[in-house]
Amino acid sequence: AEQLGIKMKQVMVGSTGIIGMTMPIERITDRVESLVEGLSADGSSKAAAAIMTSDTKPKSFSIEVPCGKGSFRVGGIAKGAGMICPNMATMLCFITTDAKVQRSELKRSTQSAVEQSFNRITIDGDTSTNDTVIVMSNGASDAPLIKSRTACAENFRAALTHVMLQLAKMMVRDGERVTKFVEIRVLGARTYLDAKHVAQAVANSMLVKCSWHGGDPNWGRVIHAVGYANARVREELVDIYFGGLCACKGGLATSTPVKELEKVTTKPNFTVTVDLNLGEATYNVYTTDLSEEYVGFN
């Protein structure tokens, strides 16, 4: 704050490291002067690389959105590759926008976007002690002021969610030595929480994740995770799909050839859909397999 000539409350801090070890603050304080001198309008890529820890690649994403007679931009950088599980994970995310947006709307939009992005990813089921999402607006765009309950507010919230979701998916794909990116889609739940609990149970099951690593379309492991989720379930109504192929119908095996299902689960990206057939609620989670290399790395 002293170097920039601003108030302390205008400086926000994000950190991560080894749990239980004191932050080696001298590594930062000794370099503040040179960091301030190096500030530039095109420094985002350097910042994205600087915050990497076990990440294998920097993560950044940005979009421009029309609003009124002008437009606004939303962009962000993030880091995260392990201990990824809501709320929010071992991650740092810094979002900037030039939108003119009311403080109350910015807060609501941020909370909504986080819930639909960083709170829907899991790599290893471990929630961290360190996680941060910071959204900063400078109001420099030529778009009108974004107020709550307006079309521009809806567009802003959608843009912010889109940017965060893209960064969140990059984290999952860059999970520590994982080999599969899997989207879990739960349909037909009685309530939102039922859908959420089922999706998270499947996504965090070690047995399920191991079967994915081996390319094994073992729907039995999926339905067993559905069964112990804290949700209302009727086994005889559950349908399970790998990709678009039905592996389980009404809680029983289908005639879909295993070889066809294996063609799905051997891909680096695929979808597992669980239809509970009890209601209208849905929930999505983005997750990974569990590899020997992940265990070795950790």
Side-chain angles (χ1 to χ4, degrees):
E2 290 173 357
Q3 290 288 332
L4 292 169
I6 60 177
K7 297 177 182 178
M8 279 180 59
K9 66 179 182 180
Q10 292 177 292
V11 178
M12 289 167 283
V13 177
S15 67
T16 185
I18 300 174
I19 298 170
M21 291 187 66
T22 304
M23 166 67 75
I25 196 65
E26 64 282 353
R27 296 183 185 176
I28 300 169
T29 53
D30 291 349
R31 291 167 174 79
V32 169
E33 186 174 350
S34 61
L35 285 170
V36 170
E37 290 176 353
L39 286 173
S40 70
D42 58 358
S44 180
S45 59
K46 289 183 178 179
I51 61 176
M52 291 169 56
T53 51
S54 58
D55 305 63
T56 66
K57 55 180 72 71
K59 300 165 181 66
S60 64
F61 190 83
S62 64
I63 58 173
E64 184 168 1
V65 182
C67 178
K69 294 182 179 180
S71 65
F72 63 82
R73 291 175 290 181
V74 180
I77 61 173
K79 65 80 55 185
M83 285 188 77
I84 300 294
C85 185
N87 297 307
M88 289 173 287
T90 303
M91 53 158 287
L92 302 175
C93 176
F94 306 98
I95 305 286
T96 55
T97 177
D98 60 359
K100 299 183 186 75
V101 56
Q102 288 181 330
R103 181 188 296 269
S104 58
E105 178 57 33
L106 183 60
K107 184 175 182 178
R108 280 193 293 268
S109 294
T110 299
Q111 291 172 332
S112 174
V114 166
E115 179 57 32
Q116 296 179 70
S117 57
F118 298 117
N119 280 349
R120 296 200 179 204
I121 62 175
T122 178
I123 291 176
D124 42 31
D126 257 314
T127 299
S128 172
T129 59
N130 303 300
D131 49 33
T132 301
V133 171
I134 292 172
V135 181
M136 297 174 285
S137 169
N138 65 9
S141 77
D142 58 359
L145 176 66
I146 296 174
K147 300 179 181 180
S148 297
R149 300 181 181 87
T150 63
C152 276
E154 292 180 9
N155 289 342
F156 177 75
R157 189 169 297 192
L160 190 60
T161 300
H162 182 66
V163 170
M164 288 192 190
L165 184 57
Q166 295 308 307
L167 291 170
K169 289 180 179 180
M170 290 178 193
M171 288 183 186
V172 177
R173 288 190 168 95
D174 195 29
E176 292 169 344
R177 310 305 190 265
V178 303
T179 66
K180 305 284 177 68
F181 175 89
V182 185
E183 180 179 356
I184 308 298
R185 298 175 181 171
V186 175
L187 312 174
R190 285 187 178 178
T191 67
Y192 172 85
L193 282 179
D194 280 353
K196 180 178 180 179
H197 291 158
V198 168
Q200 291 180 336
V202 173
N204 285 322
S205 167
M206 293 295 104
L207 284 176
V208 171
K209 293 163 85 71
C210 287
S211 67
W212 291 339
H213 182 64
D216 180 9
N218 190 334
W219 66 266
R221 289 186 174 183
V222 174
I223 201 171
H224 109 276
V226 172
Y228 66 62
N230 184 22
R232 285 166 288 186
V233 174
R234 288 180 58 188
E235 177 186 348
E236 69 274 16
L237 296 179
V238 176
D239 301 334
I240 298 172
Y241 300 82
F242 291 95
L245 302 178
C246 188
C248 164
K249 186 74 173 176
L252 299 173
T254 66
S255 59
T256 305
V258 174
K259 292 294 184 183
E260 293 302 309
L261 295 171
E262 287 176 345
K263 289 180 181 178
V264 176
T265 53
T266 53
K267 294 178 180 178
N269 302 277
F270 60 89
T271 300
V272 176
T273 302
V274 179
D275 192 340
L276 301 180
N277 288 299
L278 288 173
E280 302 297 325
T282 66
Y283 198 85
N284 286 26
V285 170
Y286 306 92
T287 189
T288 67
D289 62 342
L290 183 65
S291 66
E292 294 175 59
E293 291 77 12
Y294 174 90
V295 176
F297 180 80
N298 281 280

